[in-house]
Amino acid sequence: MALPAEEELIDTMTLDEFLIGNREATFMLTVQGDSMIDAGIRQGDIVLVERGRTPKEGDIVIAK
């Protein structure tokens, strides 16, 4: 027997489709250190990064 939520399901979407625009240039990193703690990014967090994107004012960037 199907649950009511399943009966209403028309379409599905993966997080990849929602969060990743450029698959070839996107990767995940585990945060080390606490330099971005004021932005809510903490030691051990996993972040999505898109390589090569031109940053705009207010963007958070990763530099090595």
Side-chain angles (χ1 to χ4, degrees), residues 13-64:
M13 182 173 85
T14 68
L15 287 177
D16 289 0
E17 294 169 343
F18 183 70
L19 296 175
I20 300 173
N22 184 349
R23 237 179 151 75
E24 294 75 30
T26 302
F27 56 98
M28 294 171 49
L29 291 176
T30 301
V31 175
Q32 296 180 351
D34 60 4
S35 65
M36 296 302 296
I37 201 163
D38 290 338
I41 301 172
R42 305 188 186 308
Q43 170 91 13
D45 285 354
I46 297 174
V47 295
L48 283 175
V49 178
E50 185 176 332
R51 181 182 299 139
R53 187 171 172 188
T54 303
K56 299 181 297 273
E57 184 176 339
D59 284 351
I60 296 174
V61 299
I62 295 173
K64 182 175 178 181

